Amino acid sequence: MSNSTIAGVIFDMDGCLVDTESVYKIAWRQAFEKYAVAISQEQIDSWLGLGWDIIAQEIDQITDNNKLTLAIRQAREAIFFQMMTENLVHLMPGALEMLDFVKKEQLVVGLASSTFQEKGQRILAHFELTQYFDFIVFGDEVEHRKPAGDIYIKAIEKSGLKKEQLLVFEDSLTGCEAAQKAELQTIWVPEVFSDRLKPHPETICQIVPSMIKGKNELEKLMRK
């Protein structure tokens, strides 16, 4: 193993390791259509990386009916899992190579996801990823989800490492903001690479177009 100060890596799940975000967009659209509720694609797109509590508030403003909001979410979940069963949800390019690499290098490997535990474990099991992680923090384990820093603060505690020894991989600005609040160095792998031109947290040390490039950057950092 390298003499680098990096001793652990924390990954987001949705959109970072698993390409769920593009499927969520389809599932949200179909769920709103099922209940004949109008919503713009722009608003759906803005939910990238956000926890359910924040999204629910926005849907409540549209529906003015919390029961309808929950029904729309339930429909989205059913559509998502049906698509996953049909193998229409995939790992992000380079995700397995990255996970194999960090385990080979004997780094502490963590997951920090706004997704709730029951659903998150189901996704990880489907892709046989659970065994890669030394610790996991799901959204229902903290009071405030991303962009709050709670998830990453808890991840630092679970890692047993100092924050200076950890590196985060995130795909959303929301997630990068959460990592910044925990003062964690982050490699940003934006879903849309043009998003790199947007204002972003100073704790982002690299912006890369794919997890494949992210692995290359990690190797460089470990050689320093």
Short mmCIF file of all heavy atoms in Angstrom, two decimals, residues 14 38 128 196:
data_model
loop_
_atom_site.label_atom_id
_atom_site.label_comp_id
_atom_site.label_asym_id
_atom_site.label_seq_id
_atom_site.Cartn_x
_atom_site.Cartn_y
_atom_site.Cartn_z
N ASP A 14 -26.23 6.51 -5.21
CA ASP A 14 -27.07 6.86 -6.35
C ASP A 14 -26.36 7.84 -7.29
O ASP A 14 -25.98 8.94 -6.88
CB ASP A 14 -28.38 7.48 -5.88
CG ASP A 14 -29.26 6.46 -5.17
OD1 ASP A 14 -29.61 5.46 -5.81
OD2 ASP A 14 -29.59 6.67 -4.00
N ALA A 38 -49.32 17.46 -12.88
CA ALA A 38 -48.37 18.13 -13.77
C ALA A 38 -47.11 18.54 -13.01
O ALA A 38 -47.18 19.05 -11.89
CB ALA A 38 -49.03 19.35 -14.40
N GLU A 128 -24.65 -7.05 -5.75
CA GLU A 128 -23.63 -7.80 -5.01
C GLU A 128 -22.47 -6.88 -4.59
O GLU A 128 -21.29 -7.21 -4.74
CB GLU A 128 -23.11 -8.97 -5.83
CG GLU A 128 -24.21 -9.99 -6.18
CD GLU A 128 -23.69 -11.17 -6.98
OE1 GLU A 128 -22.56 -11.12 -7.47
OE2 GLU A 128 -24.44 -12.16 -7.09
N ARG A 196 -19.60 21.02 -14.27
CA ARG A 196 -18.35 21.39 -13.61
C ARG A 196 -18.12 22.90 -13.66
O ARG A 196 -17.30 23.44 -12.89
CB ARG A 196 -17.17 20.66 -14.26
CG ARG A 196 -16.83 21.16 -15.66
CD ARG A 196 -15.86 20.21 -16.37
NE ARG A 196 -15.38 20.74 -17.62
CZ ARG A 196 -16.05 20.73 -18.75
NH1 ARG A 196 -17.28 20.21 -18.78
NH2 ARG A 196 -15.53 21.22 -19.86
#
